[in-house]
């Protein structure tokens, strides 16, 4: 396997893989809705790009049923070992994994669909990846991408505390050369890849005061990003206060009776036409 062109920002240690699983639980309704709207259904053969802990592959496996299959690809051996253990525990026979970098995948199509959630963000040229994988989709099949519009996250009403956390998050991505608004721009990425105009739709999750999701999600991602935040001077360890952040966020949300608004998950999909070439 070749290495990624730029090292993957978030890594794949067990804490990060657990964080991905928790995030996936929060994103499951939006993800399922987008996959269904894009036409993922029984009997399809699907490729899942940047499968990570396997959550999108499992959602897809549910939709395609026993007559279909899913191949998840990821550059991280740790993530794939984790995903494979989960696959076995769930007893899902139609999900398999390939260890490879997206820029050099030894896979041949055709697939009925290629999907990828929160993965184009980490590639230096998302349109190039899209163009490449569209060639593995049979004519009439579909490409589905899901990415965040991160700045939509926060509290309602908005507070300086929540705004600071979202600022830390978006700045850490920006200063790493990654686009925290990629979800909102997916239509242009599909255009640049030479695909037909995509349907682009953002789905927004909301959690009431008392729900721990916001505090856990914010603390989890900021913990993963701490080295970047500190190295690039966005925040000091003392400002982050990661040991107490989850508890402080929960209290803040409860006392202010604040609604937590998840980052928008934007889904974009387009049918791949006859003759789509690299
Ligand atoms: C944020 S995680 C998302 C995982 C999963 N798609 C989900 O939504 O839960 C991004 C995943 O993409 C993988 N990844 C990033 N860049 C990659 C590349 N160039 N080739 C293969 N996998 C890559 C990472 O290893 C990681 O598992």
């Amino acid at each position: 396997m070749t290495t990624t062109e730029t090292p993957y920002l978030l890594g794949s240690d067990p804490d990060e893989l657990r964080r991905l699983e928790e995030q996936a639980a929060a994103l499951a309704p939006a993800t399922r809705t987008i996959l269904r709207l894009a036409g993922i259904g029984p009997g399809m053969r699907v490729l899942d790009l940047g499968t990570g802990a396997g959550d999108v592959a499992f959602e897809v496996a549910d939709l395609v049923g026993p007559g279909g299959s899913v191949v998840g690809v990821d550059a991280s051996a740790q993530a794939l070992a984790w995903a494979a253990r989960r696959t076995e525990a769930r007893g899902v026979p139609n999900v398999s994994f390939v260890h490879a970098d997206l820029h050099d995948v030894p896979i041949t199509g055709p697939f009925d669909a290629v999907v990828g959630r929160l993965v184009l963000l980490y590639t230096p040229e998302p349109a190039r990846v899209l163009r490449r994988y569209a060639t593995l989709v049979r004519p009439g099949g579909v490409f589905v991408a899901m990415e965040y519009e991160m700045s939509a996250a926060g509290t309602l009403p908005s507070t300086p505390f929540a705004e600071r956390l979202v600022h830390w998050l978006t700045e850490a991505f920006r200063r790493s050369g990654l686009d925290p608004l990629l979800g909102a721009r997916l239509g242009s990425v599909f255009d640049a890849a030479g695909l037909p105009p995509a349907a682009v739709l953002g789905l927004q999750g909301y959690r009431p005061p008392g729900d721990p999701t916001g505090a856990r999600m914010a603390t989890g991602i900021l913990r993963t990003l701490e080295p970047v935040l500190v190295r690039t001077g966005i925040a000091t360890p003392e400002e982050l206060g990661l040991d107490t952040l989850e508890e402080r966020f929960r209290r803040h949300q409860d006392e202010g009776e604040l609604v937590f608004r998840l980052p928008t998950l934007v889904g974009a999909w387009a049918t791949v036409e006859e003759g789509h070439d690299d």
Side-chain angles (χ1 to χ4, degrees), residues 4 8 20 50-52 56 74-76 100-103 117-119 122:
T4 43
Y8 170 55
L20 284 186
T51 197
V56 174
D74 205 286
S76 161
D101 190 282
L102 287 186
H103 300 92
R117 183 180 73 182
L118 306 177
V119 63
Y122 301 98

XYZ file of all heavy atoms in Angstrom, residues 4 8 20 50-52 56 74-76 100-103 117-119 122, ligand 1:
164
model
N -0.576 7.956 2.224
C -1.387 9.094 1.790
C -0.491 10.232 1.342
O 0.632 10.368 1.811
C -2.271 9.609 2.928
O -1.501 9.636 4.105
C -3.476 8.751 3.130
N -3.060 11.782 7.292
C -4.453 11.968 7.691
C -4.497 12.698 9.041
O -3.881 12.257 10.018
C -5.125 10.599 7.752
C -6.489 10.604 8.370
C -7.497 11.436 7.890
C -6.790 9.771 9.449
C -8.758 11.441 8.465
C -8.042 9.760 10.020
C -9.019 10.601 9.529
O -10.267 10.606 10.099
N -15.270 8.132 16.363
C -15.953 7.974 15.066
C -17.262 7.205 15.235
O -18.280 7.544 14.631
C -15.062 7.226 14.067
C -13.904 7.983 13.419
C -13.238 7.098 12.363
C -14.363 9.291 12.794
N -12.999 5.512 2.449
C -12.619 6.000 3.782
C -13.582 5.468 4.823
O -14.162 6.203 5.612
N -13.708 4.162 4.879
C -14.750 3.524 5.688
C -14.514 3.677 7.186
O -15.455 3.605 7.976
C -14.864 2.031 5.273
O -16.089 1.500 5.737
C -13.689 1.205 5.790
N -13.272 3.905 7.610
C -12.982 4.142 9.030
C -13.416 2.970 9.893
O -13.049 1.811 9.643
N -20.550 3.642 7.901
C -21.318 3.865 6.665
C -21.508 2.529 5.943
O -22.594 2.244 5.414
C -20.620 4.905 5.759
C -21.344 5.031 4.428
C -20.551 6.252 6.466
N -9.914 1.775 3.180
C -9.318 2.770 4.084
C -7.809 2.572 4.112
O -7.316 1.453 3.952
C -9.885 2.629 5.499
C -9.797 3.927 6.280
O -8.665 4.296 6.699
O -10.835 4.597 6.454
N -7.100 3.681 4.354
C -5.639 3.613 4.392
C -5.135 3.175 5.763
O -3.943 2.916 5.922
C -5.061 4.975 4.041
N -6.022 3.140 6.753
C -5.573 2.820 8.105
C -5.822 1.357 8.438
O -6.974 0.903 8.507
C -6.312 3.713 9.118
O -6.226 3.140 10.398
N -6.058 0.224 1.532
C -5.372 0.953 0.452
C -5.599 2.448 0.597
O -6.567 2.886 1.234
C -5.907 0.488 -0.909
N -4.697 3.194 0.003
C -4.891 4.634 -0.084
C -5.863 4.937 -1.225
O -5.817 4.275 -2.266
C -3.552 5.318 -0.359
C -3.671 6.818 -0.223
O -4.195 7.466 -1.153
O -3.262 7.340 0.826
N -6.697 5.934 -1.013
C -7.688 6.285 -2.044
C -7.050 6.680 -3.364
O -7.680 6.605 -4.410
C -8.529 7.481 -1.580
C -9.551 7.224 -0.486
C -10.365 8.473 -0.268
C -10.432 6.059 -0.884
N -5.818 7.161 -3.273
C -5.174 7.615 -4.497
C -4.557 6.467 -5.275
O -3.995 6.656 -6.336
C -4.128 8.681 -4.168
C -4.744 9.874 -3.500
N -4.830 9.992 -2.135
C -5.360 10.958 -4.018
C -5.444 11.120 -1.834
N -5.776 11.719 -2.953
N -18.301 9.162 3.239
C -18.726 10.183 4.210
C -17.505 10.684 4.966
O -16.718 9.886 5.490
C -19.742 9.588 5.199
C -20.287 10.620 6.187
C -21.288 10.014 7.171
N -20.639 9.176 8.151
C -21.288 8.495 9.105
N -22.606 8.543 9.172
N -20.619 7.746 9.968
N -17.350 12.000 5.026
C -16.271 12.644 5.783
C -14.917 12.079 5.375
O -14.095 11.712 6.210
C -16.510 12.477 7.301
C -17.882 12.957 7.788
C -18.076 12.690 9.263
C -18.076 14.443 7.494
N -14.702 12.002 4.092
C -13.422 11.490 3.602
C -12.842 12.386 2.514
O -11.628 12.638 2.496
C -13.539 10.023 3.143
C -14.490 9.857 1.976
C -12.163 9.469 2.785
N -10.416 15.101 3.516
C -9.015 14.853 3.843
C -8.148 14.622 2.617
O -6.977 14.272 2.748
C -8.919 13.653 4.801
C -9.710 13.922 6.059
C -10.997 13.423 6.226
C -9.191 14.742 7.057
C -11.744 13.709 7.361
C -9.928 15.037 8.194
C -11.209 14.519 8.331
O -11.938 14.820 9.445
C -13.317 11.088 9.573
S -13.044 9.411 9.150
C -14.648 8.962 8.479
C -14.922 7.491 8.573
C -16.286 7.060 8.021
N -16.405 7.344 6.613
C -17.400 7.724 8.776
O -18.037 8.639 8.243
O -17.644 7.344 9.945
C -12.052 9.493 7.669
C -11.478 8.143 7.252
O -10.891 8.313 5.960
C -9.659 7.620 5.917
N -8.814 8.281 4.925
C -8.408 9.566 4.905
N -7.638 9.802 3.835
C -7.550 8.626 3.152
C -6.892 8.218 1.956
N -6.160 9.069 1.242
N -7.024 6.939 1.556
C -7.781 6.054 2.266
N -8.416 6.381 3.417
C -8.306 7.649 3.855
C -9.108 7.709 7.333
O -8.169 6.674 7.591
C -10.384 7.613 8.163
O -10.646 6.286 8.527
